[in-house]
Amino acid sequence: MQWDTILLEKRNGVGLITLNRPKSLNALNTQLIREMNLALDQLEQDPEIGCIVLTGSEKAFAAGADIKEMVELNFPNIYFDDFFTLADRIAQRRKPLIAAVSGYALGGGCELALMCDFIYCAENAKFALPEVTLGVLPGIGGTQRLTLAVGKAKAMEMCLTARQMGAQEAEHSGLVARVFSQQELLEQTLQAAEKIAEKSLTAVMMIKESINRAFEVSLAEGLRFERRTFHSIFATLDQKEGMWAFIEKRPAKFTNQ
């Protein structure tokens, strides 16, 4: 289909979505979020895709939500429409989703990156939740996911002061997994995504679900979920293939069965 606010590519089992609103530094609006979800729907249903990468431009991953679209909204509008609920679907995807962040990831852009399973960023990356300067607060999970990522002290400071966090601090704080140069970022992210896509999709999705469960339940319940999920994977052909390939000292050929 024709995309107006994103670009969509498929490379070696990886789906690459690039935010494409350069004039607004990829600010999130309703159309972009809708197109992103349509693209994610396609990639989720594509049996050849094992991992998804979400990125922007070198200057900005996404510099916030589109304020021009929001300024005239009032409480009945935003409440009845459950504004931003469509964005929640991004975080509910079952296939692994990696954010490749260069430049600004501010407000909704930071929240979008936080919805991904992990973040790689360039040395010029800047993360912030500056909604307080507009008289509002984060509304797409920022106060929740940032706190889970970096802890209460840094999350509280960033949300209350609108301070920007640079790439090195983001890595040291656990917000991002790794930092690369601008030139290396996308290639390194795609390489990681291709490694994931080579694995059994069943195992990959179960790992993602199990790790996410750790943030939602007690340790005892999380361990129980992991154990039962581990037991269930022995019903798959990929489990047999992976273990026999190890014994026979050859690369595994997974079929997602």
Side-chain angles (χ1 to χ4, degrees):
M1 64 177 292
Q2 183 68 39
W3 308 104
D4 295 322
T5 63
I6 66 168
L7 303 174
L8 177 61
E9 303 175 59
K10 298 177 184 180
R11 304 186 189 181
N12 301 322
V14 176
L16 173 62
I17 299 174
T18 304
L19 307 186
N20 187 36
R21 296 188 71 212
K23 292 182 179 179
S24 62
L25 296 180
N26 296 328
L28 308 183
N29 64 2
T30 301
Q31 183 181 10
L32 187 151
I33 294 172
R34 183 180 294 114
E35 289 191 1
M36 198 168 10
N37 271 307
L38 288 172
L40 287 168
D41 287 341
Q42 287 188 20
L43 297 172
E44 285 266 281
Q45 295 165 12
D46 189 335
E48 296 183 358
I49 297 298
C51 190
I52 303 166
V53 172
L54 184 61
T55 193
S57 66
E58 288 190 359
K59 187 174 183 179
F61 176 72
D66 193 329
I67 305 304
K68 292 180 180 178
E69 184 181 66
M70 299 170 63
V71 65
E72 294 297 336
L73 294 175
N74 58 38
F75 175 72
N77 297 146
I78 207 166
Y79 179 73
F80 290 134
D81 292 343
D82 205 0
F83 196 66
F84 279 149
T85 293
L86 189 61
D88 292 339
R89 292 190 59 231
I90 297 165
Q92 296 165 0
R93 302 297 172 166
R94 300 181 70 197
K95 290 182 179 179
L97 184 58
I98 308 172
V101 175
S102 180
Y104 295 111
L106 310 180
C110 182
E111 291 175 298
L112 177 60
L114 286 165
M115 291 182 195
C116 298
D117 295 307
F118 61 88
I119 303 169
Y120 281 170
C121 78
E123 294 167 335
N124 70 331
K126 297 289 185 182
F127 299 89
L129 292 174
E131 286 85 350
V132 69
T133 63
L134 303 175
V136 295
L137 68 155
I140 326 177
T143 61
Q144 307 303 298
R145 293 191 178 97
L146 183 65
T147 304
L148 290 173
V150 304
K152 177 184 175 182
K154 282 188 179 292
M156 192 73 78
E157 181 210 17
M158 289 177 68
C159 289
L160 294 181
T161 69
R163 179 177 73 85
Q164 295 184 4
M165 177 184 282
Q168 297 303 323
E169 183 184 358
E171 183 180 25
H172 295 156
S173 300
L175 178 59
V176 306
R178 298 181 67 185
V179 179
F180 300 98
S181 69
Q182 284 181 265
Q183 294 74 25
E184 294 178 310
L185 173 64
L186 186 56
E187 185 59 34
Q188 290 289 339
T189 306
L190 289 170
Q191 285 182 20
E194 287 173 11
K195 287 183 180 179
I196 294 170
E198 291 171 356
K199 308 298 189 295
S200 165
L201 183 58
T202 306
V204 164
M205 290 168 64
M206 285 182 171
I207 289 168
K208 172 174 175 171
E209 189 175 5
S210 296
I211 291 175
N212 285 336
R213 185 61 64 100
F215 292 102
E216 300 169 359
V217 300
S218 67
L219 175 60
E221 182 58 34
L223 290 170
R224 187 176 297 109
F225 179 86
E226 178 193 75
R227 190 66 43 79
R228 293 294 176 258
T229 305
F230 172 76
H231 291 162
S232 69
I233 207 165
F234 278 74
T236 68
L237 296 179
D238 279 351
Q239 172 266 323
K240 300 295 185 293
E241 167 62 15
M243 291 190 172
W244 275 114
F246 177 82
I247 292 170
E248 296 169 359
K249 296 181 173 57
R250 59 174 175 82
K253 297 180 180 180
F254 295 115
T255 60
N256 301 328
Q257 297 180 9

